[in-house]
Amino acid sequence: MADEALFLLLHNEMVAGLYRAAEHGEGENGRCTTKLESMGFRVGQGLIERFTKDTARFKDELDIMKFICKDFWTTVFRKQIDNLRTNHQGIYVLQDNKFRLLTQMSAGKQYLEHAPKYLAFTCGLIRGGLSNLGIKSIVTAEVSSMPACKFQVMIQKI
């Protein structure tokens, strides 16, 4: 439980620190999101490498996405993804109805506009994990009501 609290505090401070620096002229807001996403990408690569070292090879793309939703998500966020949908043409939607990184600020709709800042790292986490498993993707996130969010993963065919 202490690990989770430390992760939440670290994540909140990373986001706040980058955006605070941007306000003081040391960067742009768009670059903050990119920086958070690239940090998440590197962490995702490392985590997947550790989690899959003793795992059998995955059969297909859907098998990899199921691993991300169950094992990977459980290890990082202490729960599975609530819903995984696909159109069987390379687009997957991962829905988390109580996303841990948004629960602290989900008191009202006034924070809805700030939610994307707190999702950039996780988008990178997913993209980095998939990248290390041989899948090139674009990951975006959307929040319609807090603390629920959806991550859309578009697989890019090489």
Side-chain angles (χ1 to χ4, degrees):
M1 199 63 152
D3 293 346
E4 182 181 350
L6 291 174
F7 173 67
L8 292 173
L9 290 170
L10 175 64
H11 180 265
N12 286 341
E13 193 53 41
M14 282 186 335
V15 173
L18 282 171
Y19 279 89
R20 214 178 3 252
E23 287 175 3
H24 291 93
E26 298 173 24
E28 303 168 17
N29 280 347
R31 293 188 76 190
C32 293
T33 303
T34 303
K35 196 167 203 165
L36 282 167
E37 203 268 346
S38 61
M39 282 184 207
F41 182 84
R42 180 61 197 111
V43 171
Q45 282 182 319
L47 288 175
I48 280 292
E49 195 170 306
R50 292 179 76 192
F51 297 161
T52 59
K53 69 179 180 184
D54 297 326
T55 309
R57 286 185 81 83
F58 297 106
K59 291 182 286 189
D60 57 8
E61 198 174 88
L62 183 58
D63 209 26
I64 291 172
M65 292 307 295
K66 287 178 183 177
F67 175 82
I68 295 289
C69 292
K70 290 179 183 174
D71 301 319
F72 183 73
W73 210 261
T74 300
T75 304
V76 177
F77 297 110
R78 305 282 189 252
K79 67 183 279 299
Q80 291 184 9
I81 281 286
D82 295 308
N83 195 351
L84 169 64
R85 294 180 187 251
T86 182
N87 67 355
H88 298 288
Q89 296 176 3
I91 296 179
Y92 297 88
V93 177
L94 290 67
Q95 183 173 343
D96 192 331
N97 294 329
K98 195 172 179 186
F99 187 55
R100 293 225 190 278
L101 299 179
L102 295 178
T103 52
Q104 291 180 331
M105 56 189 258
S106 64
K109 291 188 179 203
Q110 72 268 25
Y111 298 113
L112 197 57
E113 67 186 54
H114 297 290
K117 300 183 217 186
Y118 293 88
L119 299 174
F121 181 82
T122 308
C123 287
L125 202 65
I126 297 168
R127 194 171 69 84
L130 290 172
S131 172
N132 222 12
L133 294 172
I135 295 178
K136 188 175 180 183
S137 62
I138 297 172
V139 181
T140 56
E142 70 176 56
V143 177
S144 52
S145 65
M146 302 266 273
C149 65
K150 292 180 183 178
F151 297 93
Q152 182 173 354
V153 180
M154 292 184 293
I155 306 298
Q156 297 180 312
K157 302 296 180 193
I158 301 173

CSV table of all heavy atoms in Angstrom, one decimal, residues 122-144:
chain,number,residue,atom,x,y,z
A,122,THR,N,0.6,7.6,-18.6
A,122,THR,CA,0.0,6.3,-18.7
A,122,THR,C,-0.1,5.9,-20.2
A,122,THR,O,0.1,4.7,-20.6
A,122,THR,CB,-1.4,6.2,-18.0
A,122,THR,OG1,-1.3,6.6,-16.7
A,122,THR,CG2,-1.9,4.8,-18.0
A,123,CYS,N,-0.4,6.9,-21.1
A,123,CYS,CA,-0.5,6.6,-22.5
A,123,CYS,C,0.9,6.1,-22.9
A,123,CYS,O,1.0,5.1,-23.7
A,123,CYS,CB,-0.9,7.8,-23.3
A,123,CYS,SG,-2.6,8.3,-23.2
A,124,GLY,N,2.0,6.8,-22.5
A,124,GLY,CA,3.3,6.3,-22.8
A,124,GLY,C,3.7,5.0,-22.2
A,124,GLY,O,4.3,4.2,-22.8
A,125,LEU,N,3.1,4.7,-21.0
A,125,LEU,CA,3.3,3.4,-20.3
A,125,LEU,C,2.8,2.3,-21.2
A,125,LEU,O,3.5,1.3,-21.5
A,125,LEU,CB,2.6,3.4,-19.0
A,125,LEU,CG,3.0,2.5,-17.9
A,125,LEU,CD1,4.4,2.8,-17.4
A,125,LEU,CD2,2.0,2.6,-16.7
A,126,ILE,N,1.6,2.5,-21.7
A,126,ILE,CA,1.0,1.4,-22.6
A,126,ILE,C,1.8,1.3,-23.9
A,126,ILE,O,2.1,0.2,-24.3
A,126,ILE,CB,-0.5,1.8,-22.9
A,126,ILE,CG1,-1.3,1.8,-21.6
A,126,ILE,CG2,-1.1,0.9,-23.9
A,126,ILE,CD1,-2.7,2.4,-21.7
A,127,ARG,N,2.1,2.5,-24.5
A,127,ARG,CA,2.8,2.5,-25.8
A,127,ARG,C,4.2,1.8,-25.7
A,127,ARG,O,4.6,1.0,-26.5
A,127,ARG,CB,2.9,3.9,-26.4
A,127,ARG,CG,3.3,3.9,-27.8
A,127,ARG,CD,3.2,5.4,-28.3
A,127,ARG,NE,4.1,6.3,-27.8
A,127,ARG,CZ,5.4,6.4,-28.2
A,127,ARG,NH1,5.8,5.7,-29.2
A,127,ARG,NH2,6.2,7.3,-27.6
A,128,GLY,N,4.9,2.1,-24.6
A,128,GLY,CA,6.2,1.6,-24.3
A,128,GLY,C,6.1,0.1,-24.1
A,128,GLY,O,7.0,-0.7,-24.6
A,129,GLY,N,5.1,-0.4,-23.4
A,129,GLY,CA,5.0,-1.8,-23.1
A,129,GLY,C,4.7,-2.6,-24.4
A,129,GLY,O,5.3,-3.6,-24.7
A,130,LEU,N,3.8,-2.0,-25.2
A,130,LEU,CA,3.5,-2.6,-26.5
A,130,LEU,C,4.7,-2.6,-27.5
A,130,LEU,O,4.9,-3.6,-28.2
A,130,LEU,CB,2.3,-1.9,-27.2
A,130,LEU,CG,0.9,-2.2,-26.5
A,130,LEU,CD1,-0.1,-1.3,-27.1
A,130,LEU,CD2,0.5,-3.6,-26.5
A,131,SER,N,5.4,-1.5,-27.4
A,131,SER,CA,6.6,-1.4,-28.3
A,131,SER,C,7.6,-2.5,-28.0
A,131,SER,O,8.2,-3.1,-28.9
A,131,SER,CB,7.2,0.0,-28.1
A,131,SER,OG,8.5,0.0,-28.8
A,132,ASN,N,7.8,-2.8,-26.7
A,132,ASN,CA,8.8,-3.8,-26.3
A,132,ASN,C,8.3,-5.2,-26.7
A,132,ASN,O,9.0,-6.2,-26.7
A,132,ASN,CB,9.1,-3.7,-24.8
A,132,ASN,CG,10.6,-3.9,-24.6
A,132,ASN,OD1,11.4,-3.9,-25.5
A,132,ASN,ND2,10.9,-4.1,-23.3
A,133,LEU,N,7.0,-5.3,-26.9
A,133,LEU,CA,6.4,-6.6,-27.3
A,133,LEU,C,6.3,-6.7,-28.9
A,133,LEU,O,5.6,-7.6,-29.4
A,133,LEU,CB,5.0,-6.8,-26.7
A,133,LEU,CG,5.1,-7.0,-25.1
A,133,LEU,CD1,3.7,-7.0,-24.6
A,133,LEU,CD2,5.8,-8.3,-24.8
A,134,GLY,N,6.8,-5.7,-29.6
A,134,GLY,CA,6.8,-5.7,-31.0
A,134,GLY,C,5.6,-5.1,-31.7
A,134,GLY,O,5.4,-5.3,-32.9
A,135,ILE,N,4.9,-4.3,-31.0
A,135,ILE,CA,3.7,-3.7,-31.5
A,135,ILE,C,3.9,-2.2,-31.5
A,135,ILE,O,4.0,-1.6,-30.5
A,135,ILE,CB,2.4,-4.1,-30.8
A,135,ILE,CG1,2.2,-5.5,-30.9
A,135,ILE,CG2,1.2,-3.2,-31.3
A,135,ILE,CD1,0.9,-6.0,-30.2
A,136,LYS,N,3.9,-1.6,-32.7
A,136,LYS,CA,3.9,-0.1,-32.8
A,136,LYS,C,2.5,0.4,-32.7
A,136,LYS,O,1.6,-0.1,-33.4
A,136,LYS,CB,4.6,0.3,-34.1
A,136,LYS,CG,4.9,1.7,-34.2
A,136,LYS,CD,5.7,2.1,-35.5
A,136,LYS,CE,5.9,3.6,-35.5
A,136,LYS,NZ,6.6,4.0,-36.7
A,137,SER,N,2.3,1.4,-31.9
A,137,SER,CA,0.9,1.9,-31.7
A,137,SER,C,0.9,3.4,-31.4
A,137,SER,O,1.9,4.0,-31.1
A,137,SER,CB,0.3,1.2,-30.5
A,137,SER,OG,1.0,1.4,-29.3
A,138,ILE,N,-0.3,3.9,-31.5
A,138,ILE,CA,-0.6,5.3,-31.0
A,138,ILE,C,-1.6,5.2,-29.9
A,138,ILE,O,-2.7,4.5,-30.1
A,138,ILE,CB,-1.2,6.2,-32.2
A,138,ILE,CG1,-0.1,6.3,-33.3
A,138,ILE,CG2,-1.6,7.5,-31.7
A,138,ILE,CD1,-0.7,7.0,-34.5
A,139,VAL,N,-1.4,5.8,-28.8
A,139,VAL,CA,-2.3,5.6,-27.6
A,139,VAL,C,-2.8,7.0,-27.2
A,139,VAL,O,-2.0,7.9,-27.0
A,139,VAL,CB,-1.5,5.0,-26.4
A,139,VAL,CG1,-2.5,4.8,-25.2
A,139,VAL,CG2,-1.0,3.6,-26.8
A,140,THR,N,-4.1,7.2,-27.2
A,140,THR,CA,-4.7,8.4,-26.7
A,140,THR,C,-5.6,8.1,-25.6
A,140,THR,O,-6.0,7.0,-25.4
A,140,THR,CB,-5.5,9.1,-27.9
A,140,THR,OG1,-6.4,8.2,-28.4
A,140,THR,CG2,-4.5,9.5,-29.0
A,141,ALA,N,-6.0,9.1,-24.8
A,141,ALA,CA,-6.9,8.9,-23.7
A,141,ALA,C,-8.0,10.0,-23.7
A,141,ALA,O,-7.8,11.1,-24.2
A,141,ALA,CB,-6.1,9.0,-22.4
A,142,GLU,N,-9.1,9.6,-23.1
A,142,GLU,CA,-10.2,10.6,-23.0
A,142,GLU,C,-10.9,10.4,-21.7
A,142,GLU,O,-11.0,9.2,-21.2
A,142,GLU,CB,-11.2,10.5,-24.2
A,142,GLU,CG,-12.0,9.3,-24.2
A,142,GLU,CD,-13.0,9.3,-25.4
A,142,GLU,OE1,-12.6,9.4,-26.5
A,142,GLU,OE2,-14.2,9.1,-25.1
A,143,VAL,N,-11.4,11.5,-21.2
A,143,VAL,CA,-12.2,11.4,-19.9
A,143,VAL,C,-13.5,12.1,-20.1
A,143,VAL,O,-13.5,13.3,-20.5
A,143,VAL,CB,-11.4,12.1,-18.7
A,143,VAL,CG1,-12.2,12.1,-17.5
A,143,VAL,CG2,-10.1,11.4,-18.5
A,144,SER,N,-14.6,11.4,-19.9
A,144,SER,CA,-15.9,12.1,-20.0
A,144,SER,C,-16.5,12.4,-18.7
A,144,SER,O,-17.2,13.4,-18.5
A,144,SER,CB,-16.9,11.3,-20.9
A,144,SER,OG,-16.9,10.0,-20.4
